Amino acid sequence: GAGVSQSPSNKVTEKGKDVELRCDPISGHTALYWYRQRLGQGLEFLIYFQGNSAPDKSGLPSDRFSAERTGESVSTLTIQRTQQEDSAVYLCASSLGRQGSILSSYEQYFGPGTRLTVT
Amino acid sequence: AQSVTQPDIHITVSEGASLELRCNYSYGATPYLFWYVQSPGQGLQLLLKYFSGDTLVQGIKGFEAEFKRSQSSFNLRKPSVHWSDAAEYFCAVGAGANFGNEKLTFGTGTRLTIIP
């Protein structure tokens, strides 16, 4: 079946501009995660959606970052007034979440990522 | 809060040689442990996972990992590497035993280079 897809694959933007990154999770997956991967670093958790519950936004680095998800479908990560330090690969992942066991909820499937470059 | 350390930034191995990638975690209870592989231009792929039970777990592509509680380690091994194993490898820990806390904490990764 189809995996997690993300668009665009690459985005170059000027400092100060807003950007939107899109994630399409695997159909039937109720949990969706956004991570950031800076050059030479591990993945950094940003935000987590589970069904219609309030999202866990504890990883968002500043109020310039926000994300939305409608139901159990597409999610959009928005970065306002981009800064050079926002340059990174933004990865989306989905899992069965509460549709399955806690163990299956931890099995996250990742998309290919969006490489964001802020000039 | 949990943390993960991958002490080796870059490892070079000859094709056909054995491989061991190190991972140490910090967490008060039994964690959920994962190894992911990221090939160039690809998303992360789950190699294997440990939740409980047998401390030696088998994964895809001939990889295995052993959970050692006494050493807080979850090292990844492969008896004989192939050129296609060249990639970045990430160890991750999940600490929540209840729904609503399933975010993963990742190490900084180990880049594996294979030489002929």
Side-chain angles (χ1 to χ4, degrees):
Chain A
V4 178
S5 61
Q6 293 186 246
S7 61
S9 55
N10 281 284
K11 176 73 176 177
V12 179
T13 189
E14 293 179 353
K15 177 181 172 181
K17 300 283 190 183
D18 297 352
V19 295
E20 279 190 358
L21 312 179
R22 177 188 169 106
C23 172
D24 281 273
I26 293 173
S27 178
H29 280 192
T30 61
L32 186 147
Y33 312 77
W34 283 98
Y35 294 88
R36 177 170 70 177
Q37 184 178 23
R38 288 171 159 163
L39 186 64
Q41 299 186 23
L43 278 71
E44 174 188 7
F45 166 78
L46 296 178
I47 187 168
Y48 158 50
F49 294 91
Q50 169 56 61
N52 294 317
S53 302
D56 177 353
K57 303 180 182 180
S58 60
L60 295 179
S62 77
D63 58 8
R64 296 187 295 105
F65 287 72
S66 62
E68 293 188 353
R69 186 184 188 196
T70 305
E72 296 177 356
S73 60
V74 171
S75 175
T76 302
L77 177 68
T78 301
I79 308 174
Q80 296 178 310
R81 306 180 302 281
T82 52
Q83 304 294 313
Q84 288 186 331
E85 62 261 29
D86 299 334
S87 295
V89 176
Y90 289 83
L91 290 160
C92 175
S94 69
S95 77
L96 281 173
R98 297 176 190 181
Q99 299 284 341
S101 67
I102 184 66
L103 306 182
S104 62
S105 183
Y106 267 113
E107 293 193 30
Q108 298 177 22
Y109 296 83
F110 284 80
T114 294
R115 182 175 298 278
L116 174 66
T117 303
V118 182
T119 61
Chain B
Q2 64 269 24
S3 65
V4 178
T5 302
Q6 293 181 249
D8 303 307
I9 296 173
H10 187 198
I11 283 184
T12 299
V13 176
S14 298
E15 188 169 15
S18 63
L19 170 72
E20 182 169 28
L21 301 183
R22 295 183 290 165
C23 172
N24 292 95
Y25 67 90
S26 173
Y27 181 60
T30 300
Y32 300 140
L33 294 161
F34 306 81
W35 274 99
Y36 281 86
V37 60
Q38 185 177 37
S39 299
Q42 305 289 316
L44 273 76
Q45 181 181 20
L46 180 64
L47 278 178
L48 47 77
K49 59 188 181 287
Y50 171 79
F51 291 139
S52 64
D54 193 349
T55 57
L56 183 63
V57 293
Q58 303 296 322
I60 62 171
K61 304 184 179 185
F63 286 92
E64 66 178 27
E66 186 171 12
F67 170 59
K68 293 185 177 180
R69 183 190 302 275
S70 61
Q71 298 177 19
S72 297
S73 69
F74 188 57
N75 293 349
L76 181 71
R77 302 194 294 248
K78 187 170 184 177
S80 176
V81 297
H82 185 262
W83 64 266
S84 60
D85 293 326
E88 186 98 20
Y89 291 80
F90 292 93
C91 182
V93 61
N98 301 303
F99 286 117
N101 193 25
E102 300 95 297
K103 54 184 178 283
L104 296 173
T105 299
F106 285 82
T108 52
T110 297
R111 181 172 301 278
L112 176 64
T113 298
I114 308 295
I115 56 176

